[in-house]
Amino acid sequence: MTLPDDIPVTDVDVLVIGGGTAGPMAAVTAKEKNPDAKVLLLEKANVKRSGAISMGMDGLNNAVVPGHSTPEDYVKEITIANDGIVLQKGVMAYAERSYEMIQQLDSWGVYFQKDETGEYDMKKVHHLGTYVLPMPEGHNIKKILYRRLRRHRVIVENRYQAIRLLKDKTGTVSGCIALGTRDADVIVIRAKSVILCTGAAGRIGLPASGYLFGTYENPSNCGDGHSMAYHVGAELSGLECYQINPLLKDYNGPACAYVTGPLGGYTANAHGDRFIECDYWSGQMMMEFYNELQGGNGPVFLKLDHLAEETIQEIEHVLHTNERPSRGLFHDGRGTDYRSKMVEMHISEIGFCAGHSASGVWINEKGETTVPGLYGAGDMASIPHSYMLGAFVYGKICGENAVEFARNRELPELDVDFIVAEKERILAPLKRTDGIPPNQFEYKVRRLVNDYLQPPKITKKMDIGWQRIKDMEADISMLYARDAHELLRANEAQHIWDCAQMAACASLYRQESRWGLYHHYVDYPETNNEDWFCHVQLYKDEKGQMACHTRPVEPYVVELDEVEKNAYQQLRVSQAG
Amino acid sequence: MPTASQISTVPVLVDEDKCIADKGCRTCIDVCPLDVLWINEETGKAHMKYDECWYCMPCEADCPTDAVTVTIPYLLR
Ligand SMILES: Cc1cc2nc3c(=O)[nH]c(=O)nc-3n(C[C@H](O)[C@H](O)[C@H](O)COP(=O)(O)OP(=O)(O)OC[C@H]3O[C@@H](n4cnc5c(N)ncnc54)[C@H](O)[C@@H]3O)c2cc1C
Ligand code: SF4
Ligand code: SF4
């Protein structure tokens, strides 16, 4: 059977989905490794300005630079910050290639801050080691990546939302089906290997402002990759270890302690007192933040008003021009001046993100998911706290391995029935003449997530929330889109709905508390290493139902001693007690 | 289910006198990660068609004629 003529098929060796940070690196690497390979980068927005780093970045949050730290130190720090539940080999693979990646980016023209002697100007923000490298001129990074894509002749397809992955009879991944966001055209990319780089799932919870797009994450990262991986049969891991970040109230962007910390700024309570030892984002830090907010000493603030004028100017320069340049506008609108006022902070909506937390599609140290031929990198994959540099390193690892996988494979057969049915399903909202608009559907899912699935987690609440979200299945057949753009939102909304259920399913499964606020489960308040020192893997079972199983933590490659294990449990400043 | 249409204020403003979309420019429309800037059929100039903005600013930064102004969405202000 062949595909109907109105579904165009493009054949490639390697398909990369998502052209933000990890994606361009993966695509360029695949071409460097095999210049004859046909490599296509599919992007929902436009690779020139897409993803988390669309305007640039303030610094590397996790640079492992010789002379400041070793890969072993880094693996230890990340293991401790994640309460021991890590694939250490995966963190090590990052740490060992971190420095080489900084040098590669440096040689491409990305500017990192250097000291008088020409060495990288490293700063201490983490609890134990020194890993932060500022890049105050970080705004050219997308331009540099774009130039590399051109030079290596990567084929770029902008404004297509990948919606479902395809697989062949052997269960090996064989491409994707995608929707044009401007013309509502459905296309198929047939590929010998696929790398998912679709970023975090940032639109699961609702920001306190109620504005659907006022999320911490770039809202184009709505969990499409998580949903696609789930439906094609891949395992996801650690979804109960939510991403929750300390942010500027309402603006919902980073506060940002990593920039201000080394210059003397810190997180304070309403009395202006420091209450946490370390501003590095972790579940334990978020727990202290949450307790302060709820406990009568809140709100929580970023305190800069004690700093010297030159220091404040330096902070303003970085924070108001680089990563989130609208921040200055936000402060101006409210008359907030760092010199005289502390800046109010709050906690973000929940999300899935390995970049900041540990939740995502399971990958190993080669970037392989549990589905043959499918790789994952960056915020959507499971290597914890990987941030921007981790996205680049795993993009590179995946590029190398996926192009090799493709080299040994013939073009796969397409599952025509599946594709035809999917096309129908994807376009359905556009064919209706009335119904439920995607923004209302999305608002409702995300509001239920906030009401029922946000920590503190409670069994009874999560049961109700999950049921209410499941009940919305009936609404999907009523989703209504008036144009291609609304159709994009309708398809995103269904992936958000999937992700919301994953949050409930994984959270209910892990019957203990771990990672501070991220999995603060009131019915099981203690950490239980006896039964739960393991990963929780979420997958689609044979009946098509969402299910979980445990996966043992692999033997460590770097051992920890008992004292170190508890370092992140003691973040509260003693006198603030 | 019948629907109603509601209005909302949008955070991104385009100065139509400065916008050169009629000469073929599509820069802001191209770069917006959320695809919310489109050509206004009535004026032939760029405008914000959907109130779904991340206030990230590539549209303003990349416009060749400084026609775009990004403000903070009303609900956040
Ligand atoms: C506000 C903010 C500040 C940060 N600050 C720092 C910092 O200072 N230092 C640091 O090291 N890290 C920082 N990070 C983290 C870092 O930016 C991310 O970890 C990293 O950029 C993630 O890269 P990625 O490739 O996984 O995702 P992204 O770069 O976000 O790329 C994902 C891409 O996938 C596309 N996409 C999504 N769905 C689809 C689909 N269905 N089809 C096609 N394309 C799709 C998106 O449009 C996007 O372009 C920050 C993140 C944010 C949000
Ligand atoms: S970039 Fe500027 S000139 Fe070009 S279409 Fe947009 S507003 Fe008009
Ligand atoms: S600020 Fe960002 S999301 Fe808003 S219109 Fe401009 S480019 Fe698009």
Side-chain angles (χ1 to χ4, degrees):
Chain A
M1 204 173 147
T2 52
L3 269 184
D5 290 344
D6 61 346
I7 308 181
V9 180
T10 306
D11 291 335
V12 301
D13 294 297
V14 180
L15 165 64
V16 183
I17 304 179
T21 312
M25 183 59 72
V28 165
T29 305
K31 281 298 270 187
E32 275 174 349
K33 205 134 188 254
N34 179 5
D36 298 329
K38 199 170 166 193
V39 177
L40 188 144
L41 178 57
L42 189 82
E43 168 56 53
K44 191 198 262 182
N46 184 312
V47 294
K48 280 188 189 157
R49 285 294 199 183
S50 58
I53 60 171
S54 76
M55 287 300 277
M57 198 84 323
D58 291 341
L60 297 177
N61 288 349
N62 55 346
V64 185
V65 172
H68 296 275
S69 61
T70 63
E72 286 73 19
D73 296 334
Y74 180 78
V75 171
K76 264 192 195 176
E77 177 112 25
I78 297 303
T79 306
I80 299 164
N82 283 284
D83 286 357
I85 312 294
V86 288
L87 175 68
Q88 275 200 346
K89 275 194 284 184
V91 180
M92 184 57 99
Y94 159 74
E96 282 173 339
R97 298 181 71 174
S98 155
Y99 187 56
E100 145 201 331
M101 179 55 68
I102 298 172
Q103 288 174 309
Q104 176 175 341
L105 293 168
D106 199 333
S107 77
W108 285 6
V110 178
Y111 177 78
F112 300 104
Q113 190 161 298
K114 302 206 172 113
D115 62 18
E116 315 77 55
T117 61
E119 300 294 327
Y120 293 122
D121 191 9
M122 302 294 297
K123 308 284 181 197
K124 182 170 184 318
V125 176
H126 291 61
H127 199 36
L128 306 174
T130 300
Y131 303 104
V132 170
L133 175 54
M135 37 193 301
E137 304 302 323
H139 27 256
N140 58 0
I141 188 154
K142 283 295 275 185
K143 276 208 180 82
I144 290 169
L145 291 175
Y146 187 63
R147 243 184 271 141
R148 292 279 148 177
L149 289 171
R150 301 277 308 257
R151 181 180 301 180
H152 289 280
R153 283 192 301 235
V154 171
I155 308 161
V156 175
E157 199 69 80
N158 288 315
R159 302 287 173 199
Y160 278 92
Q161 177 198 17
I163 293 193
R164 282 288 185 270
L165 294 170
L166 307 172
K167 58 182 173 185
D168 68 10
K169 290 197 187 75
T170 68
T172 309
V173 89
S174 54
C176 84
I177 179 160
L179 172 71
T181 67
R182 298 249 167 102
D183 300 317
D185 52 320
V186 171
I187 62 168
V188 166
I189 317 284
R190 172 163 45 183
K192 297 178 188 170
S193 59
V194 176
I195 309 174
L196 278 176
C197 304
T198 48
R203 258 157 72 197
I204 307 178
L206 193 62
S209 67
Y211 189 62
L212 285 178
F213 291 77
T215 47
Y216 170 70
E217 295 292 343
N218 185 324
S220 70
N221 299 340
C222 64
D224 291 339
H226 299 75
S227 178
M228 282 189 276
Y230 170 74
H231 287 293
V232 83
E235 285 180 11
L236 293 95
S237 187
L239 301 180
E240 70 283 12
C241 179
Y242 297 165
Q243 159 176 248
I244 306 171
N245 295 332
L247 303 176
L248 289 183
K249 178 84 170 52
D250 297 336
Y251 180 74
N252 223 16
C256 168
Y258 298 176
V259 173
T260 61
L263 296 169
Y266 56 87
T267 309
N269 62 22
H271 313 296
D273 295 330
R274 204 191 272 267
F275 63 96
I276 32 178
E277 293 273 3
C278 163
D279 283 334
Y280 180 66
W281 295 0
S282 64
Q284 295 78 2
M285 182 270 194
M286 280 312 300
M287 191 74 200
E288 297 302 345
F289 194 110
Y290 174 80
N291 287 339
E292 206 73 1
L293 273 180
Q294 301 295 325
N297 282 325
V300 170
F301 296 90
L302 174 66
K303 183 169 161 50
L304 302 172
D305 56 5
H306 57 291
L307 299 177
E309 178 60 27
E310 317 80 87
T311 314
I312 296 214
Q313 283 181 19
E314 187 181 342
I315 290 173
E316 282 176 337
H317 173 71
V318 175
L319 291 184
H320 300 182
T321 62
N322 213 13
E323 183 177 288
R324 296 296 329 253
S326 56
R327 179 182 171 136
L329 286 177
F330 174 75
H331 290 323
D332 289 347
R334 294 190 176 187
T336 308
D337 184 332
Y338 301 149
R339 292 160 188 82
S340 53
K341 256 196 197 173
M342 298 198 294
V343 189
E344 189 183 351
M345 294 175 68
H346 197 64
I347 55 180
S348 72
E349 65 283 353
I350 69 157
F352 299 148
C353 178
H356 299 86
S357 174
S359 34
V361 177
W362 175 263
I363 59 164
N364 63 15
E365 68 281 6
K366 296 182 193 139
E368 296 164 338
T369 68
T370 54
V371 170
L374 181 64
Y375 298 78
D379 284 357
M380 59 81 54
S382 62
I383 305 298
H385 296 221
S386 57
Y387 290 96
M388 181 173 67
L389 201 59
F392 281 131
V393 170
Y394 266 93
K396 186 159 185 175
I397 292 173
C398 289
E400 290 167 357
N401 294 329
V403 80
E404 280 313 308
F405 188 93
R407 207 194 282 272
N408 303 317
R409 191 177 178 206
E410 297 295 314
L411 263 181
E413 285 244 10
L414 290 175
D415 183 344
V416 175
D417 290 341
F418 177 77
I419 294 169
V420 170
E422 272 302 309
K423 180 177 176 182
E424 186 91 353
R425 185 188 69 83
I426 292 166
L427 295 178
L430 205 53
K431 307 227 160 103
R432 301 190 180 108
T433 50
D434 62 15
I436 301 168
N439 63 340
Q440 277 189 314
F441 178 92
E442 179 176 338
Y443 179 87
K444 189 160 168 176
V445 176
R446 293 172 62 184
R447 200 269 295 169
L448 289 170
V449 166
N450 280 27
D451 280 356
Y452 294 104
L453 303 181
Q454 208 165 232
K457 301 180 186 178
I458 297 166
T459 306
K460 192 78 198 151
K461 274 178 79 179
M462 292 194 287
D463 281 340
I464 298 172
W466 193 5
Q467 189 56 48
R468 300 252 356 245
I469 293 166
K470 274 187 193 157
D471 290 345
M472 289 180 70
E473 184 162 15
D475 303 348
I476 289 177
S477 56
M478 288 189 270
L479 278 173
Y480 165 51
R482 293 171 298 181
D483 58 24
H485 182 79
E486 289 184 357
L487 185 63
L488 156 73
R489 296 288 181 244
N491 280 289
E492 289 180 339
Q494 295 174 62
H495 296 160
I496 292 167
W497 179 74
D498 283 336
C499 288
Q501 295 183 66
M502 294 185 209
C505 182
S507 293
L508 281 162
Y509 189 79
R510 183 182 281 279
Q511 297 184 343
E512 62 152 0
S513 287
R514 195 176 283 271
W515 308 297
L517 186 63
Y518 299 163
H519 187 60
H520 171 38
Y521 197 162
V522 178
D523 305 48
Y524 306 95
E526 304 296 326
T527 299
N528 171 359
N529 281 327
E530 197 81 9
D531 299 317
W532 291 104
F533 194 81
C534 55
H535 304 277
V536 166
Q537 309 290 104
L538 181 141
Y539 65 106
K540 194 179 196 173
D541 71 12
E542 315 76 52
K543 294 189 220 103
Q545 300 295 314
M546 205 172 269
C548 291
H549 66 80
T550 60
R551 179 180 196 120
V553 173
E554 282 189 29
Y556 284 168
V557 290
V558 182
E559 280 306 328
L560 313 180
D561 64 44
E562 285 304 316
V563 182
E564 287 169 334
K565 275 185 197 162
N566 291 321
Y568 272 73
Q569 307 297 348
Q570 291 139 15
L571 288 183
R572 177 158 282 266
V573 169
S574 28
Q575 67 272 22
Chain B
M1 281 208 257
T3 55
S5 66
Q6 277 163 320
I7 57 168
S8 57
T9 95
V10 294
V12 171
L13 321 170
V14 174
D15 182 336
E16 295 198 342
D17 294 333
K18 289 190 188 161
C19 174
I20 52 167
D22 48 341
K23 299 206 173 69
C25 182
R26 294 289 181 273
T27 302
C28 59
I29 295 170
D30 276 348
V31 296
C32 173
L34 295 173
D35 212 4
V36 292
L37 303 175
W38 290 63
I39 294 291
N40 182 341
E41 302 291 341
E42 278 162 34
T43 59
K45 306 283 180 161
H47 79 142
M48 185 169 231
K49 188 170 172 193
Y50 307 91
D51 177 20
E52 303 169 337
C53 180
W54 196 44
Y55 37 102
C56 51
M57 300 183 88
C59 53
E60 179 176 314
D62 295 350
C63 172
T65 64
D66 287 333
V68 182
T69 307
V70 174
T71 68
I72 302 294
Y74 174 70
L75 291 182
L76 280 58
R77 232 174 269 165

